[in-house]
Amino acid sequence: MKRLKAKIAYDGSGFAGYQVQPESRTVQAELMKVLKNIHKGETIQVVASGRTDSKVHATGQVIHFDTPLSIPMSGWLKALNVLLPEDIRVFEIEEADPAFHARYHTARKTYRYKWDRSSIISPFTRNYMVHVKQKPNIEAMRKAAEAVLGTHDFSSFCAANTAVVDKVRTVRRLEFEEHGEELHMVIEGTGFLYNMVRIIAGTMMEIGTGRRKASEMAGIIAGADRSLAGKTAAAHGLYLENVEYES
Amino acid sequence: MKRLKAKIAYDGSGFAGYQVQPESRTVQAELMKVLKNIHKGETIQVVASGRTDSKVHATGQVIHFDTPLSIPMSGWLKALNVLLPEDIRVFEIEEADPAFHARYHTARKTYRYKWDRSSIISPFTRNYMVHVKQKPNIEAMRKAAEAVLGTHDFSSFCAANTAVVDKVRTVRRLEFEEHGEELHMVIEGTGFLYNMVRIIAGTMMEIGTGRRKASEMAGIIAGADRSLAGKTAAAHGLYLENVEYES
C-alpha cells in the first residue's frame, strides 16, 4: 500500500464545497468517484488539507489517499486528469511517507481573496472575484493588517456556530496586492478558523470603504466577539492557494 | 424615438449563441427581455453587428435598438446592468444617428482566438481557452498568415452549409501574440464568413503542430474548397473583440 500526495486545483463555481454531502456535487465526491473507478469498484478515502465552502476555489489544495496499485506517477497524473471533470485538475502527484497526513500535518496555509475594482465587472470574472464599486483605501487596509498579524484569539473572525474551542491562531503574512483593477488580499497563517479569511476580508473592505476605521481592528480582535467584526465576504472571491507541511 | 448604440460583453459559456432561438437561452433573448421590462411590456428589437455561435464570447459586440424613452445615458447603463444577468454586461451606451445600423454599417471586425499551452490546463480557463498540448511552432503560423492577409475568395474557410454567394473578404491583420502560456490569434477584417475565424484558427494550429506545412496555406486559399482547410477550432476559444463602423 502506498500513500500518494497530490496538489489539486478546482473552480469552486460548480461545487457545493469540497466535502462529500448527499445529493450534492462536491470535489471530494468527484475525486472518490474517479478513484473508485481506477480501483475497480473499491472505495478509496481521500483526505484534504481542509474543506472549502461552496463556491470557494483552490489553486493549491493538497490531498492524500492510499492505493495498492503500482502505477508510475506520470500515469497517475494522466489518468486522474483524463477521468476527472475539467473543473478539477491535478497538478502534482508524488509518493508520500506512509505517515503523511494532508490534514493533521499542515504547518501553514495561504489564502487569496480577490476583488475587482472595475466600474463595470467583466462577465468573465463574475464567479472569480467580488465586485467593489467604491475605490477602497488600501493604505487604511494595510494599517489595519498590522493589528491582525501575529498570534491572537480570533474569536471575532470565526463563524459563530463553530465547535472549535481553541481560537488562537497565528497570522504570519497579510498583504494587499494590486494587479490592474484587481485587488488581492493574501493571508498566510498556521491555521484558520471557519470563515476566518472571509470575515477578515469583509472587515477589511469595510475599513477600505470608510465604514470603519483602521484603528478599530485592534479592538475588534481584543473583544473576541463575532458581532464586533464585519460581514463575511462572499465565497467566490476566495482561493486556497498553498498548503505547507511540517518537514 | 431615439436610436441607441451599445458596446456589450458576454461570457458565451451559458448561451446557445447570440441569436434568439426557441427554448434556448440566448444573448439577444436576454437583452430583449430586459428591454421589454424597461418599456412596460413593449417588444423592442435589438440588432447586433452579427450573431455569434454557442459558447463564443464577446468583449466588444455592438448592438442598436430604438426607444421612445427619455433616460440619460448614465441611467441606461445602470438600468441595463442591474437588470441583465451577470454574464452580459453593457460597457458603453450612446445615442446614435437614427440611420446607424449595427449590422449593415460595420466597416471592420476584430476577433481573438485563445489557446492555452500549459501542460495541464487551469480549471479556471477551461471555458475560455482551448488547450493545445503540443507546443506549436509560432513562426510557421506567422509564415502561413502572410498568405491569408489581403483580399481573397475565402470559400475554403467557410462552413459548407452557408447561403452566402460572394465569399471574397479582406483580412487586414492576422497576428499571433504570446501572453505567458496563452497563445492568441488576432484577426481583423472587413467581414467574415460563417465559421471563417474558427476554420482559420483550426488550420493554423494544424500548421503549428506540424500536421500541415506553412507553405500549404496559399494553395488552400486558391483551391476555394472547404475540404482543403483544417478542422473548425472549438467555439469556446473565440472572442468577438471589436467592431468598427463607417464614419
Side-chain angles (χ1 to χ4, degrees), chain B:
Chain B
M1 196 66 102
K2 285 173 188 158
R3 179 152 292 190
L4 302 188
K5 172 189 176 187
K7 185 175 164 184
I8 69 171
Y10 44 85
D11 175 348
S13 314
F15 295 105
Y18 173 81
Q19 196 170 45
V20 165
Q21 297 175 43
E23 315 283 322
S24 295
R25 184 169 187 262
T26 69
V27 177
Q28 189 184 22
E30 294 294 328
L31 290 166
M32 288 181 64
K33 197 195 297 178
V34 165
L35 288 173
K36 190 171 188 172
N37 182 344
I38 293 173
H39 292 84
K40 302 186 189 304
E42 192 189 341
T43 295
I44 302 292
Q45 280 302 327
V46 177
V47 176
S49 73
R51 64 184 80 170
T52 51
D53 278 346
S54 179
K55 310 299 175 201
V56 172
H57 312 291
T59 53
Q61 171 71 287
V62 175
I63 59 165
H64 85 247
F65 61 90
D66 293 331
T67 179
L69 301 178
S70 291
I71 300 175
M73 291 305 132
S74 59
W76 272 110
L77 194 63
K78 203 165 189 172
L80 289 169
N81 283 323
V82 165
L83 295 169
L84 282 166
E86 286 188 322
D87 48 356
I88 306 175
R89 293 290 89 183
V90 179
F91 282 89
E92 294 169 14
I93 188 160
E94 60 183 19
E95 189 169 345
D97 188 284
F100 170 79
H101 196 282
R103 183 161 70 246
Y104 298 149
H105 299 163
T106 58
R108 273 189 295 280
K109 279 187 181 179
T110 305
Y111 284 91
R112 184 175 292 264
Y113 196 90
K114 296 187 185 180
W115 291 281
D116 184 333
R117 299 174 291 176
S118 308
S119 56
I120 298 166
I121 196 172
S122 157
F124 301 101
T125 58
R126 69 192 192 284
N127 295 325
Y128 306 112
M129 292 178 215
V130 172
H131 192 199
V132 47
K133 286 175 189 174
Q134 191 185 334
K135 298 290 175 205
N137 177 344
I138 298 167
E139 283 319 306
M141 296 163 85
R142 287 186 173 132
K143 188 158 171 283
E146 293 169 18
V148 179
L149 284 171
T151 303
H152 306 281
D153 177 329
F154 280 101
S155 295
S156 297
F157 297 95
C158 179
N161 57 352
T162 185
V164 176
V165 176
D166 178 10
K167 293 179 180 168
V168 174
R169 295 292 183 276
T170 300
V171 173
R172 296 168 56 107
R173 187 159 74 101
L174 179 50
E175 287 166 4
F176 292 89
E177 296 177 0
E178 297 184 75
H179 302 277
E181 291 296 321
E182 295 179 25
L183 172 64
H184 297 184
M185 180 182 89
V186 183
I187 186 165
E188 181 192 313
T190 52
F192 292 93
L193 299 164
Y194 186 56
N195 277 355
M196 179 168 155
V197 179
R198 289 168 57 193
I199 302 170
I200 292 175
T203 307
M204 282 292 186
M205 193 44 76
E206 294 183 13
I207 290 166
T209 53
R211 277 170 290 166
R212 290 169 183 266
K213 289 180 181 149
S215 57
E216 291 176 44
M217 187 59 100
I220 293 170
I221 296 172
D225 179 344
R226 172 68 188 89
S227 69
L228 297 173
K231 284 187 185 157
T232 306
H236 67 278
L238 184 62
Y239 295 73
L240 172 56
E241 184 165 285
N242 196 37
V243 185
E244 289 174 76
Y245 289 90
E246 297 156 5
S247 53

Side-chain angles (χ1 to χ4, degrees), chain A residues 44-60:
Chain A
I44 302 292
Q45 280 301 328
V46 177
V47 176
S49 74
R51 64 184 79 171
T52 51
D53 278 346
S54 178
K55 309 298 175 201
V56 172
H57 312 291
T59 53

Side-chain angles (χ1 to χ4, degrees), chain A residues 4-98:
Chain A
L4 302 188
K5 172 188 177 185
K7 185 175 164 183
I8 70 171
Y10 44 86
D11 175 347
S13 313
F15 296 105
Y18 172 81
Q19 195 170 47
V20 165
Q21 298 177 43
E23 315 284 320
S24 295
R25 184 170 186 262
T26 69
V27 177
Q28 189 184 21
E30 293 294 328
L31 290 166
M32 287 180 66
K33 198 194 298 178
V34 165
L35 288 173
K36 191 171 187 171
N37 182 344
I38 294 174
H39 292 84
K40 301 186 189 306
E42 192 189 342
T43 295
I44 302 292
Q45 280 301 328
V46 177
V47 176
S49 74
R51 64 184 79 171
T52 51
D53 278 346
S54 178
K55 309 298 175 201
V56 172
H57 312 291
T59 53
Q61 172 69 288
V62 175
I63 58 164
H64 85 247
F65 61 91
D66 294 330
T67 179
L69 302 177
S70 291
I71 300 173
M73 291 306 133
S74 59
W76 271 110
L77 194 65
K78 204 164 188 175
L80 289 169
N81 283 324
V82 165
L83 295 170
L84 282 166
E86 286 187 324
D87 48 358
I88 306 176
R89 293 290 90 183
V90 178
F91 281 90
E92 293 170 15
I93 188 162
E94 61 184 18
E95 191 171 343
D97 189 284

Side-chain angles (χ1 to χ4, degrees), chain A:
Chain A
M1 198 66 108
K2 284 172 187 159
R3 179 152 292 188
L4 302 188
K5 172 188 177 185
K7 185 175 164 183
I8 70 171
Y10 44 86
D11 175 347
S13 313
F15 296 105
Y18 172 81
Q19 195 170 47
V20 165
Q21 298 177 43
E23 315 284 320
S24 295
R25 184 170 186 262
T26 69
V27 177
Q28 189 184 21
E30 293 294 328
L31 290 166
M32 287 180 66
K33 198 194 298 178
V34 165
L35 288 173
K36 191 171 187 171
N37 182 344
I38 294 174
H39 292 84
K40 301 186 189 306
E42 192 189 342
T43 295
I44 302 292
Q45 280 301 328
V46 177
V47 176
S49 74
R51 64 184 79 171
T52 51
D53 278 346
S54 178
K55 309 298 175 201
V56 172
H57 312 291
T59 53
Q61 172 69 288
V62 175
I63 58 164
H64 85 247
F65 61 91
D66 294 330
T67 179
L69 302 177
S70 291
I71 300 173
M73 291 306 133
S74 59
W76 271 110
L77 194 65
K78 204 164 188 175
L80 289 169
N81 283 324
V82 165
L83 295 170
L84 282 166
E86 286 187 324
D87 48 358
I88 306 176
R89 293 290 90 183
V90 178
F91 281 90
E92 293 170 15
I93 188 162
E94 61 184 18
E95 191 171 343
D97 189 284
F100 170 79
H101 196 283
R103 183 161 71 246
Y104 299 149
H105 299 163
T106 58
R108 274 190 294 280
K109 279 186 181 179
T110 306
Y111 285 92
R112 184 175 293 264
Y113 197 91
K114 296 187 185 180
W115 290 282
D116 185 333
R117 299 173 291 177
S118 308
S119 57
I120 296 166
I121 196 172
S122 157
F124 301 101
T125 58
R126 70 193 193 284
N127 295 324
Y128 307 110
M129 292 177 215
V130 172
H131 192 199
V132 47
K133 286 174 188 173
Q134 192 185 334
K135 300 289 176 206
N137 177 345
I138 298 167
E139 283 319 306
M141 296 164 85
R142 288 188 174 130
K143 188 157 171 283
E146 292 169 19
V148 179
L149 283 172
T151 303
H152 306 282
D153 178 328
F154 279 102
S155 295
S156 296
F157 297 96
C158 180
N161 57 351
T162 185
V164 176
V165 176
D166 178 10
K167 292 179 181 169
V168 175
R169 295 292 184 276
T170 300
V171 172
R172 296 167 56 108
R173 188 159 73 102
L174 180 49
E175 288 167 3
F176 291 90
E177 296 177 1
E178 297 184 76
H179 302 278
E181 292 296 322
E182 294 179 26
L183 173 64
H184 297 185
M185 180 182 88
V186 183
I187 186 166
E188 181 192 313
T190 53
F192 292 93
L193 298 164
Y194 186 55
N195 277 355
M196 180 168 155
V197 178
R198 289 167 56 193
I199 301 169
I200 292 175
T203 307
M204 282 292 186
M205 194 44 76
E206 293 182 13
I207 290 166
T209 54
R211 278 169 288 165
R212 290 169 185 266
K213 288 180 183 151
S215 58
E216 291 176 45
M217 187 58 97
I220 293 170
I221 296 172
D225 180 343
R226 172 69 188 88
S227 69
L228 298 172
K231 284 188 186 157
T232 305
H236 67 277
L238 185 61
Y239 294 73
L240 172 56
E241 183 165 284
N242 196 36
V243 185
E244 288 175 74
Y245 288 91
E246 298 157 4
S247 53

